[in-house]
Amino acid sequence: MSKTFCPIPWNFQAVRNNGDIRICCQANVTPNQGVVRHPDGRSFNAGRDNFDDAKNAHLMKHVRMNMLDGKWSAECGRCRQEEEAGLQSRRLYELQHWDYSYKDAVRDTAPDGSITVRNQYYDLRFGNLCNLACRMCGPTDSHTWYEQWLGYHGGTSYEDTHGTVELKRNAKGRLETTDYDWHNSETFWDQIEKNIPYIEHVYMAGGEPMMIERHYEFLQRCIDSGCAKNIMIEYNTNMTSVPPRVLKMWEEFKEIRVGCSIDGMGDMLEYQRWPIKWKQAKANLEKVDNLPKNVVAWIAFTVTAYNIFHLPEFMMWKLKESGYKKINSSSSKPVITHHVAHGPKRANIRILNKELKQDVHEHYNYYKDKLAKDPTIDDKVKKKFNLILDSVTKYMDADDWSDKIPEFIKFTKYLDQERKQNILMVTPQYKELFD
């Protein structure tokens, strides 16, 4: 068994917000962001290209052969870093989920790395329409970022994997682009519809799926095909909306998995995921927690330089006050489901200097001691709580990116001014940095 093997390059294809096809969403740690390309350098795009051709592009074949040989590819660097830090990587998650082994991959792979395996699993991101502008995000994932992104970086454009995105003002004076409208192409819909009978799992993320009409169209096509009962739909959603329309459609599917992108409570959440309102998000969390049995849900907490000190407080709230019955109810993840923001680097927890990293350790030790004395929480849950904190600090300590602190300060001050917020109101530990 290869120690780098993952079923993803065999049974899965991922479509970015701009339609570019990539190996995996975790591969965005490389300059190429895991995008598969034609020999001339053009990206394969779901709006114009054949999925089977993309499946056997040079990069896909190269990554497969590396996995079969037990080697790490650069595109798999995020999983490698997370596993070295004791975090649950996407690779380990997929190995648990799929009944597709190393032996199966050897059987199905030609000497040059090509395959003819049908896709069972897709990551579909129908554009960048989103109502939030989270601090660790940007315009490629949310159109709400346009004004503030250009305000900070200047100019009228930004770069994405397919090239330069030019923003222009429409008749109402709002910035817009058609670069994320790939899903209007019949080339995509013809291909995906033919494969619906073979699909087992679809992952959908931001933009914000609940705002995007094409998301509903895809669900309806699965329902109309009679195959929805065999398909699991998984989301990352910001919990600003859980409309009755989607709840009715979910009843038709085998299983619905909802990753609730909630990075804290109260002012902390409103700071990191501006302009969300905690009251609204909390009400929607409670709604999801009371949905039927075919819905599984968890809190997908993104750890950043903004909320790293808030993490244990939020976990205590989840265990002691939330009262959730469904959300993170599994024995494997009874607290929250967390991951660190690898990029942009200015939001990564590795930017903290030596003194602040020590403050994080002391802060986490305080909560560990507090938890140890709490007789109302099961010992197994306490262990999971501590493992989360330890994995975060281990990742944080693994490298020193403190040279990014000036950029962190500059960018944070700009957003604070634009959004009428103040980082010291949510993370007072940074007082010396921002004085």
Side-chain angles (χ1 to χ4, degrees):
M1 174 64 179
S2 163
K3 293 183 179 179
T4 65
F5 173 71
C6 173
I8 286 295
W10 279 265
N11 68 355
F12 170 81
Q13 280 184 300
V15 180
R16 297 187 76 253
N17 307 74
N18 63 355
D20 283 356
I21 300 171
R22 60 182 170 181
I23 294 176
C24 169
C25 65
Q26 307 298 86
N28 59 7
V29 295
T30 65
N32 180 51
Q33 297 189 52
V35 171
V36 294
R37 298 185 181 275
H38 292 273
D40 64 3
R42 289 180 301 115
S43 56
F44 277 91
N45 190 280
R48 64 172 181 264
D49 289 308
N50 183 283
F51 273 99
D52 287 339
D53 291 341
K55 185 187 299 182
N56 287 314
H58 172 74
L59 182 59
M60 294 298 304
K61 293 189 288 186
H62 174 71
V63 170
R64 288 189 199 109
M65 295 308 292
N66 274 350
M67 286 186 175
L68 295 183
D69 290 341
K71 300 174 183 176
W72 285 106
S73 298
E75 287 71 24
C76 306
R78 176 169 175 170
C79 284
R80 182 179 187 176
Q81 289 178 24
E82 289 180 346
E83 290 175 28
E84 289 172 350
L87 293 164
Q88 168 97 4
S89 72
R90 173 77 179 276
R91 186 185 78 89
L92 296 177
Y93 171 83
E94 299 298 348
L95 282 171
Q96 292 173 352
H97 178 71
W98 290 102
D99 184 21
Y100 190 83
S101 69
Y102 175 77
K103 288 184 179 180
D104 295 328
V106 171
R107 178 199 65 209
D108 293 338
T109 309
D112 68 345
S114 61
I115 59 171
T116 57
V117 180
R118 279 191 177 273
N119 283 353
Q120 302 167 285
Y121 184 13
Y122 288 93
D123 175 345
L124 300 177
R125 308 189 184 208
F126 293 111
N128 67 342
L129 183 67
C130 183
N131 54 344
L132 303 184
C134 306
R135 287 182 179 244
M136 59 289 188
C137 191
T140 60
D141 296 297
S142 172
H143 81 290
T144 302
W145 257 109
Y146 288 164
E147 292 286 356
Q148 291 178 352
W149 192 266
L150 295 189
Y152 182 76
H153 292 282
T156 60
S157 65
Y158 61 89
E159 296 300 313
D160 204 340
T161 53
H162 66 285
T164 301
V165 179
E166 288 287 345
L167 297 175
K168 296 181 180 179
R169 295 199 180 275
N170 60 22
K172 295 182 179 180
R174 296 172 183 164
L175 291 170
E176 64 179 12
T177 178
T178 60
D179 284 33
Y180 297 88
D181 295 343
W182 62 270
H183 42 78
N184 294 331
S185 165
E186 287 305 313
T187 298
F188 164 74
W189 290 105
D190 288 346
Q191 292 187 82
I192 202 72
E193 200 153 28
K194 288 176 183 176
N195 208 46
I196 284 176
Y198 307 97
I199 295 175
E200 296 182 25
H201 188 171
V202 179
Y203 173 72
M204 296 188 184
E208 170 48 44
M210 301 305 159
M211 292 180 63
I212 297 174
E213 190 61 30
R214 290 296 192 185
H215 149 247
Y216 296 99
E217 181 178 342
F218 175 77
L219 296 185
Q220 192 61 54
R221 291 195 188 210
C222 291
I223 294 168
D224 292 345
S225 73
C227 298
K229 62 182 180 295
N230 303 319
I231 299 173
M232 175 202 304
I233 304 291
E234 179 179 350
Y235 294 91
N236 259 64
T237 173
N238 63 31
M239 301 308 295
T240 57
S241 177
V242 186
R245 176 186 183 187
V246 81
L247 297 181
K248 185 68 176 174
M249 298 176 92
W250 284 354
E251 294 174 3
E252 304 293 328
F253 287 84
K254 177 182 178 180
E255 184 173 280
I256 301 296
R257 296 183 174 186
V258 184
C260 308
S261 297
I262 299 294
D263 311 325
M265 55 193 180
D267 291 343
M268 184 69 251
L269 179 68
E270 294 181 4
Y271 184 86
Q272 177 150 300
R273 291 191 176 267
W274 178 89
I276 197 172
K277 298 301 178 186
W278 168 237
K279 182 178 180 180
Q280 176 189 36
K282 188 169 179 286
N284 284 325
L285 284 168
E286 291 167 358
K287 182 186 293 187
V288 167
D289 197 54
N290 288 287
L291 290 178
K293 290 183 179 179
N294 78 318
V295 178
V296 177
W298 60 87
I299 290 170
F301 188 106
T302 303
V303 184
T304 70
Y306 295 107
N307 68 357
I308 185 170
F309 285 96
H310 180 72
L311 172 62
E313 179 185 355
F314 178 76
M315 292 198 295
M316 289 293 284
W317 172 85
K318 159 61 173 62
L319 294 175
K320 301 280 289 182
E321 299 180 40
S322 71
Y324 296 146
K325 304 178 292 294
K326 178 189 294 290
I327 295 173
N328 283 98
S329 60
S330 71
S331 58
S332 62
K333 294 188 177 181
V335 189
I336 62 169
T337 305
H338 74 298
H339 62 277
V340 296
H342 288 250
K345 283 191 173 182
R346 61 172 172 254
N348 191 296
I349 59 177
R350 288 176 171 174
I351 69 166
L352 302 186
N353 59 33
K354 184 178 180 180
E355 292 74 22
L356 285 170
K357 286 181 178 180
Q358 183 59 37
D359 289 345
V360 170
H361 279 281
E362 292 175 3
H363 188 68
Y364 284 11
N365 286 337
Y366 166 79
Y367 275 93
K368 287 179 182 180
D369 291 342
K370 183 177 181 180
L371 185 72
K373 298 172 185 176
D374 193 323
T376 67
I377 298 176
D378 184 83
D379 285 344
K380 291 181 180 178
V381 176
K382 289 179 180 179
K383 184 177 180 180
K384 296 288 185 181
F385 185 106
N386 290 338
L387 284 173
I388 290 173
L389 297 184
D390 289 344
S391 69
V392 169
T393 54
K394 186 174 181 180
Y395 174 85
M396 174 186 71
D397 291 337
D399 212 339
D400 178 10
W401 295 352
S402 56
D403 61 315
K404 303 296 180 185
I405 285 180
E407 172 63 12
F408 169 70
I409 294 171
K410 181 182 177 184
F411 188 72
T412 299
K413 285 183 174 180
Y414 167 76
L415 286 187
D416 280 0
Q417 183 176 3
E418 291 291 311
R419 300 176 178 185
K420 295 179 173 56
Q421 295 179 316
N422 184 345
I423 189 172
L424 297 181
M425 298 299 293
V426 293
T427 315
Q429 291 88 350
Y430 292 158
K431 188 175 188 304
E432 288 189 14
L433 283 184
F434 286 84
D435 273 350

